[in-house]
Amino acid sequence: MATERIKIAELLLDLECLMRQRGFWSHSPPPSSGYLSQVPFATDCWSLEQWLQFTFIPKIRAILEGNEPLPERCSVAPMVMSQGCGVGIDLTCLEPLLKALDEAISQAP
């Protein structure tokens, strides 16, 4: 695995650890309707922390494990920060990691 991909994998692990520490990690899956949602981040069905846990993290891990091409551009941090604040849960503690992931994914070959 290339250095860039290792960094992304480490950032994903850091994100999961922080989400667990802050109580944002769920022990049960959200409604399966979120997987079919056409709305960005499935916000019509799931909370943003659920989307991170059940869609974003597994998807990027699968790409890394399958040695598939990463997205050319990743902009999760701005969306999570604009949507996450003011909906009953403060996700600002995730911002530095999400920004680092956006940058690492967008710059990876």
Side-chain angles (χ1 to χ4, degrees), residues 29-51:
S32 59
S33 57
Y35 292 109
L36 303 174
S37 175
Q38 298 298 310
V39 175
F41 302 89
T43 56
D44 59 332
C45 303
W46 294 352
S47 65
L48 287 166
E49 63 273 15
Q50 287 173 319
W51 179 84

CSV table of all heavy atoms in Angstrom, one decimal, residues 29-51:
chain,number,residue,atom,x,y,z
A,29,PRO,N,-27.0,-0.7,13.7
A,29,PRO,CA,-27.1,0.0,12.4
A,29,PRO,C,-28.3,0.9,12.3
A,29,PRO,O,-29.4,0.6,12.9
A,29,PRO,CB,-27.1,-1.1,11.4
A,29,PRO,CG,-27.6,-2.3,12.1
A,29,PRO,CD,-27.2,-2.1,13.6
A,30,PRO,N,-28.3,2.0,11.6
A,30,PRO,CA,-29.4,2.8,11.3
A,30,PRO,C,-30.4,2.1,10.4
A,30,PRO,O,-30.0,1.1,9.8
A,30,PRO,CB,-28.8,4.1,10.7
A,30,PRO,CG,-27.6,3.6,10.0
A,30,PRO,CD,-27.1,2.5,10.9
A,31,PRO,N,-31.5,2.7,10.1
A,31,PRO,CA,-32.5,2.2,9.1
A,31,PRO,C,-31.8,2.0,7.8
A,31,PRO,O,-31.0,2.8,7.3
A,31,PRO,CB,-33.6,3.2,9.0
A,31,PRO,CG,-33.4,4.1,10.2
A,31,PRO,CD,-32.0,4.0,10.6
A,32,SER,N,-32.1,0.9,7.1
A,32,SER,CA,-31.4,0.5,5.8
A,32,SER,C,-31.8,1.5,4.7
A,32,SER,O,-31.2,1.6,3.7
A,32,SER,CB,-31.7,-0.9,5.4
A,32,SER,OG,-33.1,-1.1,5.3
A,33,SER,N,-32.9,2.3,4.9
A,33,SER,CA,-33.3,3.3,3.9
A,33,SER,C,-32.2,4.3,3.6
A,33,SER,O,-32.2,4.8,2.5
A,33,SER,CB,-34.6,4.0,4.4
A,33,SER,OG,-34.3,4.6,5.7
A,34,GLY,N,-31.3,4.5,4.5
A,34,GLY,CA,-30.2,5.4,4.3
A,34,GLY,C,-29.3,5.0,3.2
A,34,GLY,O,-28.7,5.8,2.4
A,35,TYR,N,-29.2,3.7,3.0
A,35,TYR,CA,-28.3,3.2,1.9
A,35,TYR,C,-28.9,3.5,0.5
A,35,TYR,O,-28.2,3.5,-0.5
A,35,TYR,CB,-28.1,1.7,2.0
A,35,TYR,CG,-27.2,1.3,3.2
A,35,TYR,CD1,-27.8,0.7,4.3
A,35,TYR,CD2,-25.9,1.6,3.2
A,35,TYR,CE1,-27.0,0.4,5.4
A,35,TYR,CE2,-25.1,1.3,4.3
A,35,TYR,CZ,-25.7,0.7,5.4
A,35,TYR,OH,-24.9,0.4,6.5
A,36,LEU,N,-30.2,3.7,0.5
A,36,LEU,CA,-30.9,4.0,-0.8
A,36,LEU,C,-31.2,5.5,-1.0
A,36,LEU,O,-31.7,5.9,-2.1
A,36,LEU,CB,-32.3,3.3,-0.8
A,36,LEU,CG,-32.2,1.8,-0.6
A,36,LEU,CD1,-33.6,1.2,-0.5
A,36,LEU,CD2,-31.4,1.1,-1.8
A,37,SER,N,-30.8,6.3,0.0
A,37,SER,CA,-31.1,7.7,-0.1
A,37,SER,C,-30.4,8.4,-1.3
A,37,SER,O,-29.3,8.1,-1.6
A,37,SER,CB,-30.7,8.4,1.2
A,37,SER,OG,-30.8,9.8,1.1
A,38,GLN,N,-31.1,9.3,-1.9
A,38,GLN,CA,-30.5,10.1,-3.0
A,38,GLN,C,-30.0,11.5,-2.5
A,38,GLN,O,-29.5,12.2,-3.3
A,38,GLN,CB,-31.6,10.3,-4.1
A,38,GLN,CG,-32.0,9.0,-4.8
A,38,GLN,CD,-30.9,8.2,-5.4
A,38,GLN,OE1,-30.1,8.8,-6.2
A,38,GLN,NE2,-30.8,7.0,-5.1
A,39,VAL,N,-30.3,11.7,-1.3
A,39,VAL,CA,-29.9,13.0,-0.7
A,39,VAL,C,-28.4,12.9,-0.2
A,39,VAL,O,-28.0,11.9,0.4
A,39,VAL,CB,-30.8,13.3,0.5
A,39,VAL,CG1,-30.3,14.6,1.3
A,39,VAL,CG2,-32.2,13.4,0.1
A,40,PRO,N,-27.6,13.9,-0.5
A,40,PRO,CA,-26.2,13.9,0.0
A,40,PRO,C,-26.1,13.6,1.5
A,40,PRO,O,-26.9,14.1,2.3
A,40,PRO,CB,-25.7,15.3,-0.3
A,40,PRO,CG,-26.5,15.8,-1.4
A,40,PRO,CD,-27.9,15.2,-1.2
A,41,PHE,N,-25.2,12.7,1.8
A,41,PHE,CA,-24.9,12.3,3.2
A,41,PHE,C,-26.2,11.6,3.8
A,41,PHE,O,-26.2,11.4,5.0
A,41,PHE,CB,-24.5,13.4,4.0
A,41,PHE,CG,-23.2,14.1,3.5
A,41,PHE,CD1,-23.3,15.1,2.6
A,41,PHE,CD2,-22.0,13.7,3.9
A,41,PHE,CE1,-22.2,15.7,2.1
A,41,PHE,CE2,-20.8,14.3,3.4
A,41,PHE,CZ,-20.9,15.3,2.5
A,42,ALA,N,-27.1,11.2,3.0
A,42,ALA,CA,-28.3,10.5,3.5
A,42,ALA,C,-29.0,11.2,4.7
A,42,ALA,O,-29.6,10.6,5.6
A,42,ALA,CB,-28.0,9.1,3.9
A,43,THR,N,-28.9,12.6,4.7
A,43,THR,CA,-29.4,13.3,5.8
A,43,THR,C,-30.9,13.3,6.0
A,43,THR,O,-31.5,13.7,7.0
A,43,THR,CB,-29.0,14.8,5.7
A,43,THR,OG1,-29.4,15.4,4.4
A,43,THR,CG2,-27.5,15.0,5.8
A,44,ASP,N,-31.6,12.7,4.9
A,44,ASP,CA,-33.1,12.6,5.1
A,44,ASP,C,-33.4,11.3,5.9
A,44,ASP,O,-34.5,11.2,6.4
A,44,ASP,CB,-33.7,12.5,3.7
A,44,ASP,CG,-33.2,11.4,2.8
A,44,ASP,OD1,-32.0,11.0,3.0
A,44,ASP,OD2,-34.0,10.9,2.0
A,45,CYS,N,-32.4,10.5,6.1
A,45,CYS,CA,-32.7,9.2,6.8
A,45,CYS,C,-31.8,9.0,8.1
A,45,CYS,O,-32.2,8.4,9.0
A,45,CYS,CB,-32.4,8.0,5.9
A,45,CYS,SG,-33.4,8.0,4.4
A,46,TRP,N,-30.6,9.5,8.0
A,46,TRP,CA,-29.5,9.3,9.0
A,46,TRP,C,-29.0,10.6,9.5
A,46,TRP,O,-29.0,11.6,8.9
A,46,TRP,CB,-28.4,8.5,8.4
A,46,TRP,CG,-28.7,7.1,8.0
A,46,TRP,CD1,-29.8,6.4,8.2
A,46,TRP,CD2,-27.7,6.3,7.3
A,46,TRP,NE1,-29.6,5.1,7.7
A,46,TRP,CE2,-28.4,5.0,7.1
A,46,TRP,CE3,-26.4,6.4,6.9
A,46,TRP,CZ2,-27.8,4.0,6.5
A,46,TRP,CZ3,-25.8,5.3,6.2
A,46,TRP,CH2,-26.5,4.1,6.0
A,47,SER,N,-28.4,10.5,10.7
A,47,SER,CA,-27.6,11.6,11.2
A,47,SER,C,-26.3,11.6,10.5
A,47,SER,O,-25.9,10.6,9.9
A,47,SER,CB,-27.4,11.5,12.8
A,47,SER,OG,-26.6,10.3,13.0
A,48,LEU,N,-25.5,12.7,10.6
A,48,LEU,CA,-24.2,12.7,9.9
A,48,LEU,C,-23.2,11.8,10.5
A,48,LEU,O,-22.4,11.2,9.8
A,48,LEU,CB,-23.7,14.2,9.9
A,48,LEU,CG,-24.5,15.1,8.9
A,48,LEU,CD1,-24.2,16.5,9.1
A,48,LEU,CD2,-24.2,14.7,7.5
A,49,GLU,N,-23.3,11.6,11.8
A,49,GLU,CA,-22.3,10.7,12.4
A,49,GLU,C,-22.7,9.2,12.0
A,49,GLU,O,-21.8,8.4,11.8
A,49,GLU,CB,-22.3,10.8,13.9
A,49,GLU,CG,-23.5,10.5,14.7
A,49,GLU,CD,-24.5,11.7,14.8
A,49,GLU,OE1,-24.3,12.7,14.1
A,49,GLU,OE2,-25.4,11.6,15.7
A,50,GLN,N,-23.9,8.9,11.7
A,50,GLN,CA,-24.3,7.6,11.2
A,50,GLN,C,-23.8,7.5,9.8
A,50,GLN,O,-23.2,6.4,9.4
A,50,GLN,CB,-25.8,7.4,11.2
A,50,GLN,CG,-26.4,7.2,12.6
A,50,GLN,CD,-27.9,7.2,12.6
A,50,GLN,OE1,-28.5,7.9,11.9
A,50,GLN,NE2,-28.5,6.3,13.4
A,51,TRP,N,-23.9,8.5,9.0
A,51,TRP,CA,-23.4,8.4,7.6
A,51,TRP,C,-21.9,8.2,7.6
A,51,TRP,O,-21.3,7.4,6.8
A,51,TRP,CB,-23.7,9.7,6.8
A,51,TRP,CG,-23.2,9.7,5.4
A,51,TRP,CD1,-23.8,9.1,4.4
A,51,TRP,CD2,-21.9,10.2,5.0
A,51,TRP,NE1,-22.9,9.2,3.3
A,51,TRP,CE2,-21.8,9.9,3.6
A,51,TRP,CE3,-20.9,10.9,5.6
A,51,TRP,CZ2,-20.7,10.3,2.9
A,51,TRP,CZ3,-19.8,11.3,4.9
A,51,TRP,CH2,-19.7,11.0,3.5
